[in-house]
Amino acid sequence: MTPFSAAAPSPRARTTAEDLGDFVTASPSSFHAVRESARRLEQAGFTALEETAPWSAADVAGDRFVVRDGSLIAWSAPRTADATTPWRIVGSHTDSPALKLKPNPELDAEGLAQVGVEIYGGPLLNSWLDRELRLAGRLALADGTTTLVATPGILRVPQLAVHLDRAVNQEGLRLDPQRHLQPILALGESDVMELLAAEAGVRAADIVGFDIVTVDSQAPALFGAHEEFLASGRLDNLTSVHAGLQALIAVAAGDGTASATSPASPGPAPIALMVANDHEEVGSSSRSGAGGPFLEDVLVRMHAALGGDEASRRQALASSMVLSADAGHAAHPNYPERHDPVTRPRLGDGPMLKINAQQRYATDAVGIAAFVAACESAGVPHQTFVSNNAMPCGSTIGPITATRLGMTTIDVGLTLLSMHSAREMCATADPLLLQQAAAAFLRG
């Protein structure tokens, strides 16, 4: 039998990967990712709810979504939903490592205008050198409104020439985040806030706050001998946002093509829900991060609108499950010793269960069984990830969500190489496989 990793991508897998590329292009910041997700949801018939408005049973019934800053929660509630109905949740995060614009960002040196940035998350700093960078994010205006903005590629962080650093190829590149990573904007003087204001169609004097990050301007692209790879920025973790979003839309539409077999659920249909949190890359401790109250706020209000009380909500949570979807590491062919000697996830072999004895991932045996069942019902291959004991792993929104809400939580992910680079890569086949597995999980 030909393994998935050896096969050229199917037309459907290619279409899904290209759609993921379109999603990434439309999502240069977490705020843009939420706007694009909301656009797709509305196009599929979902209705927006406001957090500041009261919610009735009619309001939470059917296909709905709520936005909080750079985070979004959307759900499809079956007609039979009541206070006993459990949730099936796919979680992800909208943010990615980047360079973030500082307050008072105007700098100049050697006749060049620069902008001041600080490190957001844990990027591979060298990957941000010698690339044309965009600025993207949110502007807060004096009248209390906000607007999104995204520039073309107007910045660049030039690397020092090898002639001025003769030992760089022997001793490695060493970057001081304060001195060596300030991007060049223009010859002479230039005001970055004026440029952002012009791009957004507002007055610079009206900008009173901003959340702006740098973004690689290169478009996503398929490559490889059979175009079996996708290269793009922000695959960690827009791959999971896209998969959860499209899976929820398919479930809401009753689209049996989202999985290979789409068996009928053996019990009452759960409430299918996706949550895409901001700020995972910096610890999730914010009002819109997984460590904040956003998901719990929505679940509490939804359950109350369905006629439940605190006791029945606790019962519903106890029978609910969360699939925490975040990108993971494929075994690297040039650094085989950095991975577990036996468990070696590969590009193109489907989503992987992420397991860690220290509970950096929340997966347990019960969760493994649930995800394996979802993959089997969807006809999707799956694999496992565990770290080399000498290489401590990262973490995800999974343990945070499990701790806050007490639901069985499974950490899974699409395999990447070059994770946290300005430009990462995955297999063209994998976005569709993750989407199919997520849809089967949401169906229960």
Side-chain angles (χ1 to χ4, degrees), residues 93-341:
H93 67 87
T94 57
D95 63 322
S96 301
L99 307 177
K100 188 173 183 180
L101 204 63
K102 281 186 172 183
N104 305 312
E106 288 78 16
L107 302 173
D108 64 87
E110 310 301 338
L112 297 170
Q114 296 179 272
V115 297
V117 296
E118 58 181 326
I119 309 302
Y120 181 90
L124 280 170
L125 295 178
N126 64 293
S127 70
W128 291 86
L129 304 178
D130 300 333
R131 292 178 178 272
E132 288 64 57
L133 304 176
R134 306 168 65 193
L135 289 171
R138 175 176 68 171
L139 304 175
L141 306 179
D143 63 3
T145 63
T146 62
T147 188
L148 302 191
V149 65
T151 73
I154 58 174
L155 301 174
R156 185 181 173 98
V157 184
Q159 187 171 183
L160 186 65
V162 69
H163 313 79
L164 304 177
D165 188 5
R166 293 289 184 179
V168 65
N169 290 327
Q170 291 74 41
E171 298 178 3
L173 180 65
R174 298 180 182 181
L175 295 171
D176 180 321
Q178 181 60 44
R179 292 188 300 142
H180 301 151
L181 291 174
Q182 309 311 315
I184 290 173
L185 175 64
L187 280 171
E189 296 183 359
S190 185
D191 187 336
V192 67
M193 299 312 298
E194 291 283 357
L195 291 173
L196 288 170
E199 195 69 40
V202 301
R203 295 193 317 147
D206 291 335
I207 299 174
V208 293
F210 53 85
D211 298 300
I212 301 292
V213 294
T214 57
V215 186
D216 179 24
S217 63
Q218 189 174 0
L222 300 180
F223 74 102
H226 307 288
E227 296 193 328
E228 61 265 71
F229 305 116
L230 171 67
S232 175
R234 305 180 302 291
L235 294 179
D236 178 12
N237 187 33
L238 293 183
T239 52
S240 299
V241 178
H242 179 263
L245 175 71
Q246 297 304 126
L248 179 63
I249 289 172
V251 169
D255 181 3
T257 65
S259 68
T261 57
S262 298
S265 177
I271 298 171
L273 183 147
M274 68 156 288
V275 54
N277 286 115
D278 203 352
H279 301 137
E280 190 274 346
E281 297 293 354
V282 292
S284 295
S285 296
S286 70
R287 84 183 205 103
S288 55
F294 186 30
L295 178 57
E296 186 173 7
D297 286 350
V298 169
L299 297 183
V300 167
R301 296 186 65 185
M302 184 189 307
H303 189 75
L306 292 171
D309 56 21
E310 183 174 354
S312 62
R313 174 167 50 86
R314 297 292 178 184
Q315 288 177 282
L317 289 173
S319 58
S320 299
M321 283 191 176
V322 178
L323 193 70
S324 166
D326 201 348
H329 302 291
H332 199 300
N334 296 341
Y335 300 88
E337 73 284 357
R338 302 299 178 100
H339 303 275
D340 182 81

Side-chain angles (χ1 to χ4, degrees), residues 382-439:
H382 62 274
Q383 51 189 329
T384 303
F385 172 84
V386 67
S387 291
N388 183 310
N389 289 348
M391 298 282 165
C393 69
S395 192
T396 69
I397 67 167
I400 297 170
T401 304
T403 301
R404 282 195 62 95
L405 297 173
M407 290 183 282
T408 297
T409 302
I410 312 125
D411 272 298
V412 304
L414 179 151
T415 53
L416 298 184
L417 291 174
S418 306
M419 187 187 291
H420 284 204
S421 171
R423 192 166 177 84
E424 301 160 322
M425 65 175 284
C426 69
T428 304
D430 280 336
L432 175 60
L433 297 176
L434 179 59
Q435 180 179 317
Q436 291 174 322

